[in-house]
Amino acid sequence: MDFTFTQDQTMMADVARDLLDAECPVSSLRALSAAGEARDAARWRKIVDLGLLGVLVPEAAGGLGLAEIDLVLIAEHCGYFGLPEPLVDTAGIALPLLAALPDVPRAAEALERTLAGESTVAIGHPGNPFVLDADAAGAILLPVDGALHLVDRADAKLTAQPSIDPFRKLFRVEAEPSAATLIADAEAAAPLLTQVFNRGALFAAAQLLGLARRSNDLAVAYAGERTQFGKPIGAYQAIKHHLATVQVKIEFARPVVYAAAAISPASGLHEEARISHAKLAAGEAADLSARTAVQVHGAMGYSWEVDVHYFLKRTLALSGAWGTPNDHRKRAAARVFGAPVGPEHTFTRGAAHG
Amino acid sequence: MNLDYTPEQQAFRADIRAWLEANVPAAPLPSFDASRAGFEAHRAWERTLNDGRWGMVTWPTNYGGRGLDLIEWLIFEEEYYRAGAPLRVNQNGIFLLGPTLMEYGTPEQRARFLPAMANGEEIWAQAWSEPQAGSDLAAIRSKAVREGDDYVLSGHKIWSSRAAFADWGFGLFRTDPASERHKGLSLILFPLDAPGVRRQPIPQINGEIGFAELFLDEVRVPAFNRLGEEGQGWAVCMATAGFERGLMLRSPARFQVAAHMLVELYKRHQHEVDGTVRAAVVQAWMDADAYALSIYATASRLRAGGHIGAEASVNKIFWSEMDIALQRTALAILGARAELLPVAPDAGDVDGWLDSYLFSLAGPIYAGTNEIQRNIIAERMLGLPRA
Ligand SMILES: Cc1cc2nc3c(=O)[nH]c(=O)nc-3n(C[C@H](O)[C@H](O)[C@H](O)COP(=O)(O)OP(=O)(O)OC[C@H]3O[C@@H](n4cnc5c(N)ncnc54)[C@H](O)[C@@H]3O)c2cc1C
């Protein structure tokens, strides 16, 4: 029992953080959105070159052969910096899925091209009504009647569903599945789709944790700068207590997210409940943090001019993606009412679904 | 990161579980706040625990402990609460003063106080608060005047938990009469039956005498009873407060067991309540587990040489607010019976929920109010300007 990250884990996360810190300032988000773009090709190239996409891909397939716990801090940083490019979905969801199908040439080829940075794969899942970044992807994972297909973007009909988050390009995707596009039949696809959903929820939770921290950092910084009645507003107790309350939420989402990552990718009743718990806790922290940041900034917080809104919008988007709070409360309830509870069960694993 | 118990940790869990099964009294002990008899029954239990070397597993073996680490302490606590074992009447001693003695005490002081603390011979009360010094603890006026090898204590302490029946008190006294605020204070230990000590029991919200007022009129104690340097009392006292808020005061198992009981209560009554109650039950489980995960993370960090800082304040806010939410959910399930005392003929399964609910309301007050904790988080963790 050791609930600390290894040095390797923190070092790798620090490298990712430093890259994002240098390459993903809010000014770059501003410039992208002003240009109506959702991705920065140069930044994506740097991310690819760092080798981060293959964290969850086995070494034999060209990846690092690591686990969710090794990616969770990186996903948290992506949330913190509001990264527009699909590092989390690619490294955390799409590639480990493709890597699970080593004998399917179509999947192996997509894996290789994505790892090399030549293309990306967008992910359709019954848990999400829309597909993110489908327009920019080379191929789209599409579940049809329980089976899993990988369709070329060119063969799919995309209907844009504009989002409040300028960097989330969402689409309704329609395509004709065929024997040629099939990569896993229903029986093989079922456990894979479960993993996709769990990873999606886990890494959304990690990003939400990062977003929660970012919004509070912005608010704390502003509270130290802005003066009213002759004092920094951060000297007023009402402001202090708002920000402290957010900090409490953050501190008690953090270990839940990390614990969920540490017991992934198993997908029993306990693991799924912990992932759902993480998504709920991080989502609530991020939501409170973003709203508090708006309030602490006053009218500035309601303006386009100030950075807060980018993080508020991503928070809103990720709160509903990969399972709504309602979906996740149901999974937590399934564990609470379906398996023994009590202090000796904090780390219990592996129970099958009831 | 590895979230599995080692075989040794599992064996340790099995050991303590077996011992508790054999030793925990079948019927709950009478409250230690309600009567001298209840208090003494709890003292006897402390001796039983100590005889089994289960009093404080993290203590060194020469003081009756097992020299184990904080993860094992958490496992102990889990089994302890799971078994429904008695509340620790000497918690202020073993959880708070004990660790402080080990850090600041001389070898002679440790030898004098720790064994008697461990076996329950001496039960301890904290005496920080004064009528004019609550949240603003540095405003204390009680003084200790040095006379030869003695200190002479005078002043007025209040809200001292369990002091109505306890044997010893520890608290802050002003040793430098010219000093102000945090300076010139010393931490001094004094027997509650010493000449010049008058205790006035104070009934709590439930009518039991859970705390007392202490009037000290020229109480003479040897200077040996000062813990830490003269004038350094504030720093020593903050070390105690850090332990209290941070880790030892409320172990996660307490809330996880409460959440378990809440789940059982809900299952019995689920057809009488609506979906919001069900959601609150699930939330109680999540919050109790989140608290446990956080404390495991802290324990892992401390074991690796880290220190506990302002996150002690974060913990205190979280558990106290979670507890209130949990208890309120239980009352919501009990509905019209929530107001019944357990003695009411038709009380059914009201059990101890009402009492626990009332006690949960004290959580945001004692050990430093949650408003003060929020100030600490804002100023020390977030770096916001002082008012
Ligand atoms: C069950 C229980 C057990 C206790 N046991 C002990 C014990 O064993 N030993 C001991 O010494 N004491 C004990 N106490 C006392 C406890 O430490 C004090 O109650 C606590 O420190 C608050 O002090 P106070 O009651 O004087 O409230 P006050 O300080 O008068 O506070 C009243 C209200 O004002 C708020 N307030 C005060 N100052 C500020 C500020 N600067 N900013 C914002 N809000 C503020 C408080 O948060 C609170 O809501 C116990 C209390 C309880 C309820």
Side-chain angles (χ1 to χ4, degrees):
Chain A
M1 175 67 62
D2 178 16
F3 204 144
T4 56
F5 285 95
T6 64
Q7 244 186 348
D8 284 350
Q9 285 161 345
T10 46
M11 267 167 52
M12 189 164 73
D14 287 352
V15 169
R17 187 204 52 211
D18 292 347
L19 176 82
L20 294 170
D21 195 25
E23 302 294 331
C24 194
V26 185
S27 56
S28 74
L29 304 183
R30 224 166 251 294
L32 265 190
S33 70
E37 311 246 335
R39 285 193 192 184
D40 178 329
R43 181 164 55 212
W44 182 241
R45 188 71 247 171
K46 287 189 176 135
I47 289 170
V48 172
D49 290 347
L50 211 55
L52 292 177
L53 294 189
V55 172
L56 298 188
V57 174
E59 281 172 294
L64 299 179
L66 298 174
E68 281 74 2
I69 189 68
D70 302 291
L71 187 60
V72 70
L73 292 173
I74 296 173
E76 183 181 335
H77 292 315
C78 291
Y80 186 91
F81 288 100
L83 180 72
E85 292 79 31
L87 169 58
V88 174
D89 284 16
T90 305
I93 311 170
L95 294 191
L97 169 72
L98 294 173
L101 299 165
D103 302 327
V104 182
R106 207 174 157 71
E109 187 206 343
L111 170 62
E112 207 182 306
R113 293 197 56 205
T114 309
L115 265 183
E118 292 162 18
S119 177
T120 55
V121 174
I123 309 156
H125 188 279
N128 286 328
F130 308 116
V131 180
L132 181 65
D133 288 334
D135 60 333
I140 304 169
L141 285 161
L142 212 59
V144 182
D145 298 332
L148 196 51
H149 294 263
L150 186 63
V151 299
D152 288 342
R153 198 252 335 264
D155 297 335
K157 180 173 170 240
L158 307 186
T159 310
Q161 311 284 339
S163 160
I164 184 76
D165 182 333
F167 308 114
R168 284 179 52 93
K169 302 288 184 217
L170 297 172
F171 299 89
R172 184 172 77 226
V173 175
E174 289 152 294
E176 277 303 315
S178 69
T181 60
L182 183 77
I183 57 169
D185 61 21
E187 200 189 330
L192 295 177
L193 286 170
T194 301
Q195 274 196 343
V196 163
F197 184 80
N198 285 334
R199 289 196 177 112
L202 169 67
F203 291 120
Q207 291 177 81
L208 285 161
L209 177 60
L211 285 159
R213 287 177 34 228
R214 183 60 175 275
S215 294
N216 215 35
D217 281 0
L218 290 173
V220 166
Y222 188 73
E225 282 162 21
R226 167 76 172 164
T227 49
Q228 281 293 279
F229 304 98
K231 282 192 213 170
I233 57 168
Y236 296 108
Q237 204 171 55
I239 298 286
K240 281 184 178 159
H241 285 197
H242 277 321
L243 299 173
T245 298
V246 171
Q247 193 62 31
V248 173
K249 282 258 184 216
I250 292 172
E251 296 299 334
F252 284 91
R254 199 196 301 270
V256 184
V257 172
Y258 298 164
I263 60 176
S264 290
S267 49
L269 188 60
H270 290 95
E271 290 85 354
E272 295 200 339
R274 189 63 80 217
I275 289 172
S276 289
H277 181 189
K279 178 99 189 325
L280 288 164
E284 280 169 24
D287 170 64
L288 183 69
S289 185
R291 288 188 289 111
T292 301
V294 170
Q295 179 67 16
V296 166
H297 279 79
M300 281 288 189
Y302 194 71
S303 77
W304 190 265
E305 207 38 52
V306 155
D307 300 339
V308 177
H309 69 97
Y310 287 108
F311 304 97
L312 176 105
K313 290 166 184 171
R314 184 66 49 82
T315 294
L316 189 144
L318 288 180
S319 295
W322 298 112
T324 62
N326 197 42
D327 298 331
H328 288 294
R329 252 183 244 118
K330 276 191 203 150
R331 297 209 316 176
R335 184 256 171 275
V336 171
F337 301 118
V341 293
E344 72 275 37
H345 293 296
T346 315
F347 301 101
T348 300
R349 307 198 198 181
H353 290 270
Chain B
M1 186 161 312
N2 171 359
L3 301 189
D4 291 314
Y5 295 107
T6 63
E8 292 75 25
Q9 287 165 341
Q10 280 164 340
F12 174 72
R13 184 188 290 283
D15 274 1
I16 172 63
R17 186 174 290 188
W19 188 87
L20 289 165
E21 269 165 17
N23 288 280
V24 169
L29 303 182
S31 159
F32 54 54
D33 287 334
S35 66
R36 170 57 78 178
F39 194 87
E40 293 307 323
H42 282 79
R43 186 200 297 276
W45 168 249
E46 287 296 321
R47 173 177 289 277
T48 306
L49 270 175
N50 188 57
D51 289 346
R53 286 206 303 126
W54 292 113
M56 194 56 188
V57 296
T58 54
W59 281 23
T61 45
N62 55 327
Y63 295 121
R66 293 172 181 246
L68 298 178
D69 69 21
L70 287 171
I71 300 290
E72 282 144 331
W73 174 69
L74 286 166
I75 295 170
F76 170 85
E77 290 284 292
E78 288 166 6
E79 291 302 317
Y80 193 86
Y81 278 99
R82 187 179 165 276
L87 292 177
R88 305 296 297 270
V89 69
N90 211 8
Q91 53 181 272
N92 289 341
I94 51 184
F95 293 162
L96 307 178
L97 183 61
T100 313
L101 265 164
M102 287 183 220
E103 193 173 338
Y104 291 92
T106 63
E108 293 75 23
Q109 285 177 317
R110 283 182 244 156
R112 162 62 190 86
F113 292 112
L114 289 173
M117 181 186 291
N119 68 19
E121 219 171 281
E122 291 173 348
I123 308 279
W124 288 83
Q126 306 186 80
W128 313 116
S129 305
E130 297 180 4
Q132 303 310 322
S135 297
D136 186 10
L137 189 57
I140 64 168
R141 296 177 189 167
S142 293
K143 58 181 184 181
V145 178
R146 185 73 185 244
E147 284 184 12
D149 289 339
D150 293 337
Y151 282 112
V152 178
L153 313 179
S154 298
H156 182 179
K157 297 286 183 180
I158 193 168
W159 315 126
S160 185
S161 293
R162 290 171 288 286
F165 302 118
D167 308 295
W168 277 76
F170 59 105
L172 278 181
F173 293 85
R174 207 163 277 289
T175 35
D176 176 358
S179 68
E180 277 182 27
R181 309 289 304 154
H182 311 82
K183 301 200 180 84
L185 299 170
S186 300
L187 180 60
I188 295 178
L189 323 181
F190 57 99
L192 290 171
D193 59 0
V197 178
R198 186 165 69 81
R199 346 183 190 189
Q200 180 66 46
I202 311 177
Q204 294 185 326
I205 204 165
N206 64 357
E208 293 185 359
I209 23 189
F211 34 43
E213 227 168 333
L214 301 172
F215 298 93
L216 307 176
D217 183 13
E218 309 221 320
V219 179
R220 188 168 286 273
V221 297
F224 176 79
N225 289 13
R226 190 193 68 229
L227 184 51
E229 296 299 306
E230 187 172 280
Q232 294 303 307
W234 185 261
V236 182
C237 151
M238 285 300 118
T240 312
F243 264 97
E244 172 166 41
R245 286 195 300 264
L247 218 53
M248 299 272 169
L249 177 64
R250 289 291 172 257
S251 59
R254 176 189 179 114
F255 305 106
Q256 291 181 300
V257 166
H260 182 191
M261 286 164 52
L262 184 67
V263 168
E264 297 304 317
L265 180 70
Y266 171 79
K267 283 181 176 169
R268 290 197 295 276
H269 298 280
Q270 54 185 311
H271 302 299
E272 303 155 32
V273 295
D274 72 359
T276 60
V277 175
R278 181 182 168 89
V281 172
V282 174
Q283 189 68 48
W285 172 80
M286 287 194 284
D287 288 346
D289 258 34
Y291 183 56
L293 292 170
S294 164
I295 297 294
Y296 267 91
T298 305
S300 300
R301 204 169 48 72
L302 295 181
R303 194 174 49 172
H307 287 281
I308 195 155
E311 77 256 39
S313 298
V314 174
N315 291 352
K316 206 244 146 178
I317 291 175
F318 189 79
W319 65 248
S320 57
E321 295 184 351
M322 139 176 94
D323 194 25
I324 293 177
L326 191 160
Q327 306 298 341
R328 290 184 67 226
T329 305
L331 298 195
I333 295 171
L334 292 172
R337 286 182 302 126
E339 68 171 304
L340 293 184
L341 297 177
V343 295
D346 292 339
D349 57 356
V350 300
D351 295 326
W353 288 110
L354 189 55
D355 215 38
S356 298
Y357 165 69
L358 290 176
F359 185 59
S360 75
L361 298 182
I365 301 171
Y366 61 77
T369 71
N370 286 13
E371 285 76 20
I372 299 301
Q373 306 307 336
R374 283 185 162 86
N375 291 348
I376 292 173
I377 293 168
E379 289 167 13
R380 297 198 205 143
M381 255 179 121
L382 303 179
L384 289 165
R386 286 173 175 274

